[in-house]
Amino acid sequence: MLTDVFDRYRSERPAPAATVDLDRALWARLESLGLTRLSTPEAAGGSGGTWLEAAALLSISAAAGAPIPVAEHDVLAAWLLAAAGLPHDGDLRTVCRPDPSGVAINVTWARDASAVVALWEDRDEWRVADVPVDRVVITEGRNLAGEPCDTVEFDLDDLEEGTVVDHEIGEQFHLRGALARSAQVVGAMERILEIVLVHAGEREQFGRPIGRFQAVQHLIADIAMETSLARAATDTAVARAAASDWRDPGMLFAVAVAKSCAGHAASVVVRGSHQVLGAIGTTLEHELHVLTRPILVRRSEFGSVHEWDETLATLAASAGRDRLWSLITTGRAGSRR
Amino acid sequence: MLTDVFDRYRSERPAPAATVDLDRALWARLESLGLTRLSTPEAAGGSGGTWLEAAALLSISAAAGAPIPVAEHDVLAAWLLAAAGLPHDGDLRTVCRPDPSGVAINVTWARDASAVVALWEDRDEWRVADVPVDRVVITEGRNLAGEPCDTVEFDLDDLEEGTVVDHEIGEQFHLRGALARSAQVVGAMERILEIVLVHAGEREQFGRPIGRFQAVQHLIADIAMETSLARAATDTAVARAAASDWRDPGMLFAVAVAKSCAGHAASVVVRGSHQVLGAIGTTLEHELHVLTRPILVRRSEFGSVHEWDETLATLAASAGRDRLWSLITTGRAGSRR
Amino acid sequence: MPRPLVPPVVREQAALTELRREVRAFLVGQVRDGAFVPHVDTWLTRWDRDFTRELARRGWLGMVIPTAYGGQGRTYLERFVVTEELLVAGAPVAAHWVAERQIGPSLLRYGTEEQKQAFLPAISRGELVFGIGMSEPDSGSDLASVRTRAERVEGGWRLTGTKVWTSGAHEADAFFALARTSPLDPAHRHDGLSQFIVDLRAPGVDIRPIVSMSGDHHFNEVHLGGVLVPDDRVLGRIGDGWQQVTSELGFERSGPERVLSTYPLLAEAASAMDDGRLPFDAGLGRHVARVAALHQMSFSVSAALESHADADVAAAAVKVLGTTEEGDIADYVDTLTATGWDVDDELSTLLHAALLQRPGFTLRGGTNEILRGVIARGLGLR
Amino acid sequence: MPRPLVPPVVREQAALTELRREVRAFLVGQVRDGAFVPHVDTWLTRWDRDFTRELARRGWLGMVIPTAYGGQGRTYLERFVVTEELLVAGAPVAAHWVAERQIGPSLLRYGTEEQKQAFLPAISRGELVFGIGMSEPDSGSDLASVRTRAERVEGGWRLTGTKVWTSGAHEADAFFALARTSPLDPAHRHDGLSQFIVDLRAPGVDIRPIVSMSGDHHFNEVHLGGVLVPDDRVLGRIGDGWQQVTSELGFERSGPERVLSTYPLLAEAASAMDDGRLPFDAGLGRHVARVAALHQMSFSVSAALESHADADVAAAAVKVLGTTEEGDIADYVDTLTATGWDVDDELSTLLHAALLQRPGFTLRGGTNEILRGVIARGLGLR
């Protein structure tokens, strides 16, 4: 079903452009199929799927370069509302973490949402507030991918009236966001591999398809391998999240591995795919940048690649010689011998 | 002349082995040609060459894998003795920096020297002492390259009786050592390129020389390019040292660039050359390890690759946007605007 | 000892350093006065005829063109340091780039006396802007496969075909067009090619934009629909096109623009590590070291070219290493940067532009895969 | 959506985790008792028949060999976790490595009933040690070019030729030898090859050491001077050699030993960053992430092999990524380390061994260049 929806989207979508806007028709179609709140519990009006289904949707929609807020609306905002016991009317939401002055930057899709769900840390308490757009000030912007990416200014009163939630919600938000981004990055990289393979089989230079040249083969093998590694890392974290409903204490490590592998894979895949595609792949009309630009945005959201590497280095150093393997296999170092 | 000496050495030398010892015959031959104290001023009994000649000797002897203490005896020990106004009888010397307890580790050629020149930092003063081997305790060891690499324990009295030298001697020692190592690393890499080219032209697989395969060509091109970059960086520092007799305030930057480029090039060249040579290149009887093992030793002496990168990062961050280019072109950031 | 791949290191003479200072002082003033905002990859993306003419007035255009043809009669090394300073400052140099780098030297080498007099003074004043027409839709790295054909007609040649990736054609006055003057002979693929100096306002020239993934318009498709080029606008001799473009590609291979396209981002990142916008990381030092060594390597190649030494392999090495490094700088800074949208932040403005321009670095002027082959051949491997 | 290169992620069942704990507890005890000192690349460099027999006594040898043949009749996944724990602990596993990984499975698939009964029980007890004889001086990556020939004689075959890189042949009891049983046909290069089970103490076998650059003796040249091999020691059918070695190479492609050869160094480096022997650096995290992901990827491939799914391309990917990472770990730690000779420092002991063993990682069992070609072909590129 998912595949059909996005195959159809890809065949009907507008030509690639420098900026992209929310595709409301696609969003409505997903809504009619129960896919816009895929991972929301049925009791809260969702489809009751697990992170396995959510991650599949994130990857497939990213592979299609579909401009829709799956991560923001469902995986993050709906989850926060449920965690806070707040109702969700099903209208489009985005999500952000305003700073102490009530300002949040880099809020994708804010201009398109009917309400913005804010996670706010105030004097050691975490609060969740569902704030209608008519109570916030939105300054429009665009990110590297040309997506709506706005600044949102809240009224501090609205944030202070938010519902107090557990501390772990605040920590999980970052992990859930990071893993959602990994699933999107990997999905887009898998589609890039397809594009590259087709091009290398068709494009001829010096009298034969460029895919016959060993140098091109190696570029493509590297794309395939790095994508596979990132897929394995991401699926491992997703499986652990689904099996434990994010309660597994090894989630931090698993998400960090996924984000690190996806982030470094992005360097290889973006560079390699553009190199194989040549000049044509840098043009506005080509599909490639509909995938490479979002990859670069997503790998740096919810923590830079460097930050996640640092997190892993800290965990590893603290685990040390005798407990590193336990960390690698289970995400937990266990107690020192 | 230099080339002849080392061509002859290479044609006559013993088969490659796991350990190497000082080649006294070669050393004597160099001595008779005035090459063992090439960069020592004529007034002090040397040949009065500049760093241009010293660097050439370091590179050529390293390319031949010749087990002789050119860097230790001439470039460092003789220079320290001259700086301290101490006499040099011409006998073989090595050099080290003992710790506060009088112990120096990783002292190459100590067992072969007639005296060890120590540079010692004591209560904010730098001292140079020329200590005969019968006054030190030597514990023999071998480094990764199989070279004599010993621990030397001094009598603290000998160190305390050393001659006080300028602070800048202490700082320059590290820079001179690092640049000598860069010249050796680059020389060895240039010889590796030759070996790799010969092998790729001769060795056949799948019915043709492996040098005809694009993947092998690219491995070799990378070896050639990284070696060239390290050569350019090293020669720039050497030229600056020769022109200013190490007084140019840009020496720290120039040496750091050389050590960083040579160190990172070593990663590419060692890996790539062994990959092209295949299993035969990992055998004791093959010349390759006579070059790759010392390269790995030298790139980590007088500061790790990481330390030099950190030094450069610190200099660059401090120079900042407006003065970085001045740092890159002259080695000095100049004053803030 | 093997013959080094790279020509000997050359130290910068005091006069060159003084020239740097002059150019630098001028550029600092221009930025202060708001004449331009520093940017990355400006030799492709920042077009400013006023700035170009101002450079000409100061004697920093037509630098290697003899004074007899209105140029400055200075050395390649002098041009080198001026070029470095312009790129490092992120100045808008695209309008004169192609003419200054390739067209001028090529006209000097291959042009007729009449052509030199007709074009070189105007190029040197910054008033005549040139483009280049080598690539075609299907040619890619295989230039010998170009299909644009020139047919002999009374008094000249009639050109028919399509050129692509012509940067700035929509703003330029003329371009060099590579065309087949005799049919492709598979056994001698490089024969039968010639270059023509084509007036981009001539009848039959149709210029259409190729918009880049950034949304910007720098490149064009130039359709030549039977454009008449008079005999006196043939460059050099008919049939010498391959040799000419090979030598022009050589001119453009190892210059500072193959190292410094993202330099303004590297410099901004250094400041950002100083003031805490980026975490301190030793990797910065590694990139600074590579840029410093490439600066020296590129300078050495220029010095060799000045003295007519053979430096083809070294030039290819500079281009592969340099363009890879330009892109690696963008990727490196990106991995250190958590996404934070902030229009006022110079770092993210430069970073985003660098990321969007990056794919072109290792493609334009010969892909790195092709150039590694050039190096391998130069080393005797095939 | 493209078919993923890698089989689906499989979570480790509780029983496997329990098996890990058992093995780990045993190994901790062995180290504590001084039975071995943890080292890198132990599956090539650490030979200990006592340790091997002890593993057999505990049921951790012959794991995938059916109990009917004296084995443990356990799954490939169980063997996988035991193997991981042994490598991670740096245990001396070289003596049984080849038999446990390749020879046992190959005998099970291709051997006669008599051969299975003759060899598998002794292999499972750790008493029969096998080597492998594929490579030859001129064959390198091109196995079809082997020149060792087997001539038909009364009651068997007479083998003449030279095998190289046979690890442990000087300590082993027997090896598989690949030989030409009919002359090379250039149009069908893979035909006419067969494998023989050769007693390394048989007359005519001459084993000479190939000393490695570390000074250690692990590899050998095995000269076969007309060695008589009886008919019942032909593996499978005459002419099936190519298919057999291809499948054996498949067995050895994606196991934990393609990821973990330098794991003890990585673990020591983590401790060194904690206690200040190495500077703290984010790069450690990157390497830990890759090892963790490769552990999972390798496990997935093993699970696919267990269920007879096609995983050739994925296995090649694990080997290229894993062996590159093994070497990158050595290089990474080396760039962080300032030379300081200290025999007592575990870090430098492991680092030096890793640096000296590293060149082999991306060569043995098929070079990474060959394997990238395998991947490209699997992706449909040629």
Side-chain angles (χ1 to χ4, degrees):
Chain A
M1 182 174 72
L2 275 185
T3 311
D4 292 345
V5 172
F6 288 100
D7 281 353
R8 180 171 153 193
Y9 166 73
R10 275 174 44 201
S11 68
E12 294 175 357
R13 69 176 164 196
T19 59
V20 291
D21 291 309
L22 176 68
D23 190 320
R24 289 202 177 268
L26 175 62
W27 190 246
R29 183 159 164 71
L30 289 179
E31 195 157 24
S32 71
L33 294 166
L35 294 172
T36 54
R37 290 166 74 195
L38 183 59
S39 68
T40 306
E42 290 184 43
S47 303
T50 70
W51 256 78
L52 295 175
E53 289 80 30
L57 177 59
L58 287 164
S59 284
I60 293 177
S61 59
I68 45 174
V70 176
E72 294 83 355
H73 172 87
D74 179 30
V75 171
L76 296 173
W79 164 71
L80 278 182
L81 291 178
L86 294 171
H88 189 329
D89 59 14
D91 286 352
L92 197 154
R93 273 171 178 70
T94 189
V95 71
C96 64
R97 282 191 52 187
D99 68 15
S101 70
V103 176
I105 60 170
N106 192 35
V107 186
T108 37
W109 316 110
R111 73 187 66 167
D112 302 304
S114 64
V116 181
V117 176
L119 174 66
W120 196 49
E121 192 176 12
D122 178 35
R123 282 155 295 175
D124 266 357
E125 276 188 337
W126 292 88
R127 290 174 187 271
V128 170
D130 187 25
V131 185
V133 277
D134 56 13
R135 294 189 56 86
V136 300
V137 179
I138 290 175
T139 310
E140 297 194 351
R142 298 272 178 184
N143 63 18
L144 176 69
E147 298 161 335
C149 193
D150 307 328
T151 295
V152 179
E153 292 174 66
F154 292 87
D155 188 327
L156 282 181
D157 290 346
D158 286 332
L159 299 177
E160 278 158 14
E161 281 168 17
T163 307
V164 174
V165 294
D166 283 350
H167 273 83
E168 67 182 24
I169 296 295
E171 289 149 25
Q172 266 197 30
F173 179 77
H174 196 60
L175 295 187
R176 286 175 182 247
L179 188 54
R181 292 317 188 206
S182 299
Q184 290 174 309
V185 167
V186 174
M189 294 195 299
E190 286 167 343
R191 170 64 191 148
I192 285 176
L193 176 59
E194 286 187 331
I195 292 173
V196 165
L197 285 169
V198 169
H199 180 82
E202 290 176 353
R203 170 76 169 170
E204 298 206 351
Q205 295 268 276
F206 303 101
R208 50 183 173 151
I210 59 171
R212 300 285 294 275
F213 290 92
Q214 207 177 16
V216 175
Q217 291 183 353
H218 286 201
L219 281 171
I220 296 175
D222 286 344
I223 290 170
M225 288 190 289
E226 287 293 323
T227 300
S228 300
L229 191 70
R231 169 55 75 196
T234 301
D235 283 359
T236 300
V238 168
R240 197 174 282 175
S244 72
D245 196 19
W246 287 86
R247 289 192 188 88
D248 189 323
M251 286 313 304
L252 170 62
F253 181 80
V255 170
V257 168
K259 196 70 165 37
S260 172
C261 287
H264 290 293
S267 294
V268 174
V269 172
V270 170
R271 198 196 83 78
S273 61
H274 274 294
Q275 193 67 15
V276 173
L277 268 287
I280 193 74
T282 70
T283 60
L284 192 62
E285 66 193 30
H286 199 283
E287 181 189 354
L288 186 56
H289 71 86
V290 176
L291 300 157
T292 54
R293 290 160 70 207
I295 282 174
L296 293 173
V297 171
R298 309 267 181 270
R299 75 159 171 177
S300 300
E301 286 178 329
F302 296 93
S304 69
V305 179
H306 182 81
E307 281 170 52
W308 284 106
D309 282 348
E310 259 187 346
T311 297
L312 287 164
T314 304
L315 290 171
S318 159
R321 181 203 306 112
D322 295 331
R323 299 182 300 144
L324 179 61
W325 185 244
S326 170
L327 181 70
I328 286 174
T329 49
T330 69
R332 303 180 300 278
S335 54
R336 282 184 192 265
R337 282 199 193 111
Chain B
M1 184 174 71
L2 275 185
T3 310
D4 293 343
V5 172
F6 288 100
D7 281 353
R8 179 171 152 194
Y9 166 73
R10 275 176 42 200
S11 67
E12 295 174 355
R13 69 176 165 197
T19 58
V20 291
D21 291 309
L22 176 68
D23 191 321
R24 290 204 176 266
L26 175 62
W27 189 246
R29 184 160 163 71
L30 289 179
E31 197 157 22
S32 71
L33 294 167
L35 294 172
T36 54
R37 289 166 74 194
L38 183 59
S39 67
T40 306
E42 291 184 41
S47 303
T50 71
W51 255 78
L52 295 176
E53 289 79 30
L57 177 59
L58 287 164
S59 284
I60 293 176
S61 59
I68 45 173
V70 176
E72 295 81 356
H73 171 87
D74 179 30
V75 171
L76 296 174
W79 164 72
L80 278 181
L81 291 178
L86 295 171
H88 189 330
D89 59 13
D91 286 353
L92 197 154
R93 273 171 178 69
T94 189
V95 70
C96 64
R97 281 190 52 185
D99 67 15
S101 69
V103 176
I105 60 170
N106 192 36
V107 186
T108 36
W109 316 110
R111 71 188 66 166
D112 301 303
S114 63
V116 181
V117 176
L119 175 67
W120 196 49
E121 192 176 12
D122 177 35
R123 282 156 294 175
D124 265 356
E125 276 188 337
W126 292 87
R127 289 174 187 271
V128 170
D130 187 28
V131 185
V133 277
D134 57 11
R135 295 189 56 86
V136 301
V137 178
I138 290 176
T139 310
E140 297 194 351
R142 297 273 178 185
N143 63 19
L144 176 69
E147 298 161 334
C149 192
D150 307 330
T151 295
V152 179
E153 290 173 67
F154 291 87
D155 187 326
L156 282 181
D157 291 344
D158 287 333
L159 299 176
E160 278 158 15
E161 280 167 18
T163 305
V164 174
V165 294
D166 282 351
H167 273 83
E168 66 183 25
I169 297 294
E171 289 149 25
Q172 266 197 27
F173 178 77
H174 196 60
L175 295 187
R176 286 174 182 248
L179 187 55
R181 293 314 189 208
S182 300
Q184 290 173 310
V185 167
V186 173
M189 294 195 299
E190 285 167 342
R191 170 63 191 148
I192 285 176
L193 176 60
E194 286 186 332
I195 292 173
V196 165
L197 285 170
V198 169
H199 181 82
E202 290 177 354
R203 170 76 169 170
E204 298 206 352
Q205 295 268 277
F206 304 101
R208 51 182 172 152
I210 61 170
R212 299 285 295 275
F213 290 93
Q214 206 176 18
V216 175
Q217 291 184 350
H218 286 202
L219 281 172
I220 296 175
D222 286 343
I223 290 170
M225 288 190 289
E226 287 293 323
T227 301
S228 301
L229 190 70
R231 170 54 76 196
T234 301
D235 284 359
T236 300
V238 168
R240 197 173 283 175
S244 72
D245 196 19
W246 287 87
R247 290 192 187 86
D248 189 323
M251 285 314 302
L252 170 62
F253 181 81
V255 170
V257 168
K259 198 70 165 37
S260 171
C261 287
H264 290 293
S267 294
V268 174
V269 172
V270 171
R271 199 196 83 78
S273 60
H274 274 294
Q275 193 68 13
V276 173
L277 268 286
I280 193 74
T282 70
T283 60
L284 191 62
E285 66 192 34
H286 198 282
E287 181 189 353
L288 186 56
H289 72 85
V290 175
L291 300 158
T292 55
R293 290 159 71 208
I295 282 174
L296 293 173
V297 171
R298 309 268 181 269
R299 75 158 171 178
S300 300
E301 286 177 329
F302 296 93
S304 70
V305 180
H306 182 80
E307 282 170 52
W308 284 106
D309 282 348
E310 259 187 348
T311 297
L312 286 164
T314 304
L315 289 172
S318 160
R321 181 201 308 112
D322 295 332
R323 300 182 300 144
L324 178 62
W325 186 243
S326 170
L327 181 69
I328 286 174
T329 49
T330 69
R332 303 179 301 279
S335 54
R336 280 185 193 266
R337 283 197 194 115
Chain C
M1 293 284 289
R3 197 171 70 91
L5 195 62
V6 172
V9 156
V10 179
R11 301 204 75 210
E12 189 171 296
Q13 296 160 302
L16 293 177
T17 308
E18 183 50 37
L19 177 58
R20 275 192 198 284
R21 288 210 191 89
E22 286 170 35
V23 179
R24 206 176 297 175
F26 161 71
L27 292 168
V28 167
Q30 291 277 295
V31 172
R32 194 182 47 225
D33 299 345
F36 70 87
V37 176
H39 200 59
V40 295
D41 206 23
T42 54
W43 60 280
L44 177 66
T45 66
R46 285 295 183 267
W47 194 279
D48 183 340
R49 285 215 186 203
D50 288 340
F51 184 81
T52 289
R53 275 190 295 262
E54 180 61 29
L55 288 182
R57 273 192 289 276
R58 290 173 179 268
W60 298 328
L61 215 63
M63 286 193 70
V64 297
I65 294 173
T67 50
Y69 299 115
Q72 300 294 330
R74 302 183 78 163
T75 66
Y76 276 86
L77 292 183
E78 289 176 305
R79 189 180 69 171
F80 183 94
V81 302
V82 171
T83 305
E84 277 196 334
E85 295 299 325
L86 288 166
L87 293 172
V88 160
V93 292
H96 63 264
W97 197 266
V98 170
E100 184 71 7
R101 179 177 66 183
Q102 287 153 273
I103 303 294
S106 198
L107 280 169
L108 276 172
R109 186 180 295 188
Y110 302 110
T112 65
E113 185 58 31
E114 185 272 335
Q115 288 168 352
K116 291 178 195 176
Q117 296 196 0
F119 297 118
L120 294 177
I123 283 177
S124 300
R125 289 193 303 273
E127 285 165 8
L128 187 61
V129 170
F130 261 90
I132 200 95
M134 290 188 193
S135 291
E136 298 192 1
D138 293 320
S139 72
S141 294
D142 182 10
L143 263 191
S145 71
V146 299
R147 292 180 189 169
T148 293
R149 62 181 197 280
E151 289 165 307
R152 195 79 184 95
V153 294
E154 176 69 28
W157 299 78
R158 204 169 273 291
L159 269 63
T160 307
T162 302
K163 293 294 173 182
V164 287
W165 316 121
T166 305
S167 52
H170 56 305
E171 308 259 18
D173 304 300
F175 81 159
F176 278 13
L178 178 69
R180 285 228 148 263
T181 37
S182 39
L184 180 67
D185 170 2
H188 303 92
R189 303 179 73 234
H190 300 157
D191 291 355
L193 293 164
S194 309
Q195 282 201 105
F196 299 86
I197 306 167
V198 180
D199 180 349
L200 286 170
R201 274 101 192 207
V205 175
D206 179 18
I207 298 170
R208 298 177 201 166
I210 301 177
V211 182
S212 298
M213 62 192 239
S214 60
D216 297 327
H217 171 201
H218 307 301
F219 294 113
N220 300 276
E221 254 185 34
V222 180
H223 297 271
L224 302 171
V227 177
L228 182 69
V229 180
D231 277 329
D232 62 7
R233 289 298 171 262
V234 172
L235 182 68
R237 285 179 317 194
I238 289 295
D240 284 357
W242 182 257
Q243 185 205 328
Q244 291 167 9
V245 298
T246 305
S247 105
E248 281 162 31
L249 287 170
F251 287 138
E252 67 162 299
R253 203 154 266 170
S254 64
E257 75 275 22
R258 303 305 184 179
V259 179
L260 298 174
S261 301
T262 58
Y263 176 83
L265 172 64
L266 181 69
E268 188 64 34
S271 281
M273 282 196 197
D274 196 45
D275 64 25
R277 282 175 293 152
L278 287 180
F280 180 80
D281 182 72
L284 174 72
R286 176 184 185 172
H287 289 291
V288 167
R290 290 183 82 82
V291 169
L294 281 161
H295 148 74
Q296 189 62 54
M297 202 165 155
S298 176
F299 188 71
S300 297
V301 174
S302 278
L305 292 176
E306 179 88 42
S307 60
H308 305 290
D310 175 29
D312 280 0
V313 176
V318 168
K319 183 169 181 304
V320 174
L321 290 172
T323 58
T324 302
E325 176 60 23
E326 292 176 332
D328 286 351
I329 287 169
D331 193 63
Y332 170 68
V333 177
D334 195 41
T335 59
L336 290 176
T337 309
T339 298
W341 172 78
D342 187 348
V343 279
D344 294 329
D345 183 1
E346 205 167 339
L347 182 69
S348 66
T349 303
L350 293 171
L351 173 59
H352 289 181
L355 289 170
L356 292 172
Q357 290 303 115
R358 180 198 187 180
F361 299 164
T362 51
L363 296 168
R364 58 194 181 192
T367 70
N368 281 7
E369 285 68 37
I370 295 288
L371 290 171
R372 278 198 174 81
V374 168
I375 293 166
R377 192 160 47 236
L379 292 168
L381 277 181
R382 55 177 191 179
Chain D
M1 292 282 288
R3 196 170 71 90
L5 195 61
V6 172
V9 157
V10 179
R11 302 204 76 210
E12 187 170 298
Q13 294 160 305
L16 293 178
T17 308
E18 183 50 35
L19 177 57
R20 275 192 198 283
R21 288 210 191 91
E22 285 170 35
V23 179
R24 205 175 299 175
F26 162 71
L27 293 168
V28 167
Q30 291 278 295
V31 172
R32 194 180 47 225
D33 300 346
F36 70 88
V37 176
H39 201 58
V40 295
D41 207 23
T42 54
W43 59 279
L44 176 66
T45 67
R46 285 295 182 267
W47 193 280
D48 185 338
R49 286 214 187 203
D50 288 341
F51 183 81
T52 288
R53 275 189 296 264
E54 180 61 28
L55 288 182
R57 276 191 288 276
R58 291 175 179 267
W60 298 328
L61 215 62
M63 287 194 70
V64 298
I65 294 174
T67 50
Y69 298 116
Q72 301 294 332
R74 303 183 78 163
T75 66
Y76 277 86
L77 292 183
E78 288 175 304
R79 190 180 69 171
F80 182 95
V81 303
V82 170
T83 306
E84 277 196 332
E85 294 298 325
L86 288 166
L87 293 172
V88 159
V93 292
H96 63 264
W97 196 265
V98 170
E100 183 72 7
R101 180 177 65 182
Q102 287 154 273
I103 303 294
S106 198
L107 280 169
L108 276 171
R109 186 179 295 188
Y110 302 111
T112 64
E113 185 59 28
E114 184 272 336
Q115 288 168 351
K116 291 179 195 175
Q117 296 195 1
F119 298 117
L120 294 177
I123 284 177
S124 299
R125 289 193 304 273
E127 285 165 7
L128 187 61
V129 169
F130 261 90
I132 199 94
M134 289 187 194
S135 291
E136 297 192 2
D138 293 321
S139 71
S141 294
D142 182 11
L143 264 191
S145 70
V146 298
R147 291 178 188 173
T148 294
R149 62 182 198 280
E151 291 164 306
R152 196 77 185 98
V153 293
E154 177 68 29
W157 299 77
R158 205 170 273 291
L159 269 62
T160 308
T162 302
K163 293 294 174 181
V164 286
W165 316 122
T166 304
S167 52
H170 56 306
E171 308 259 19
D173 304 300
F175 81 158
F176 278 12
L178 178 69
R180 283 229 150 262
T181 38
S182 38
L184 179 67
D185 170 2
H188 302 92
R189 305 179 72 236
H190 301 157
D191 291 355
L193 294 164
S194 309
Q195 282 201 105
F196 298 87
I197 306 168
V198 180
D199 180 349
L200 287 170
R201 275 102 190 205
V205 175
D206 179 18
I207 298 171
R208 299 177 200 165
I210 301 177
V211 183
S212 299
M213 59 191 242
S214 59
D216 298 327
H217 171 200
H218 307 301
F219 293 113
N220 300 276
E221 253 184 36
V222 180
H223 297 271
L224 303 171
V227 177
L228 182 70
V229 180
D231 277 329
D232 61 8
R233 289 296 171 262
V234 171
L235 181 68
R237 286 178 316 194
I238 289 294
D240 283 357
W242 181 259
Q243 185 204 328
Q244 291 167 10
V245 298
T246 305
S247 103
E248 281 162 31
L249 286 171
F251 287 138
E252 67 162 295
R253 201 153 267 169
S254 64
E257 75 274 22
R258 303 305 184 178
V259 179
L260 297 174
S261 301
T262 57
Y263 176 83
L265 173 64
L266 181 70
E268 189 64 34
S271 280
M273 282 196 197
D274 196 45
D275 64 25
R277 281 175 294 151
L278 287 180
F280 181 80
D281 182 71
L284 174 71
R286 176 183 184 172
H287 289 292
V288 167
R290 290 183 82 83
V291 169
L294 281 160
H295 149 73
Q296 189 63 53
M297 204 166 153
S298 176
F299 188 73
S300 298
V301 174
S302 278
L305 292 176
E306 179 88 42
S307 60
H308 305 290
D310 174 28
D312 280 359
V313 176
V318 168
K319 183 169 182 304
V320 174
L321 289 173
T323 58
T324 303
E325 175 61 23
E326 292 176 332
D328 287 350
I329 288 169
D331 194 63
Y332 170 67
V333 177
D334 194 42
T335 59
L336 290 176
T337 309
T339 298
W341 173 76
D342 187 347
V343 280
D344 294 329
D345 184 359
E346 204 167 339
L347 182 68
S348 66
T349 303
L350 294 171
L351 172 60
H352 289 182
L355 289 170
L356 292 172
Q357 290 303 115
R358 179 198 188 182
F361 300 164
T362 50
L363 296 169
R364 58 194 181 192
T367 70
N368 281 7
E369 285 67 38
I370 296 288
L371 290 172
R372 279 198 173 82
V374 168
I375 294 166
R377 191 161 48 236
L379 292 168
L381 278 182
R382 55 180 190 182

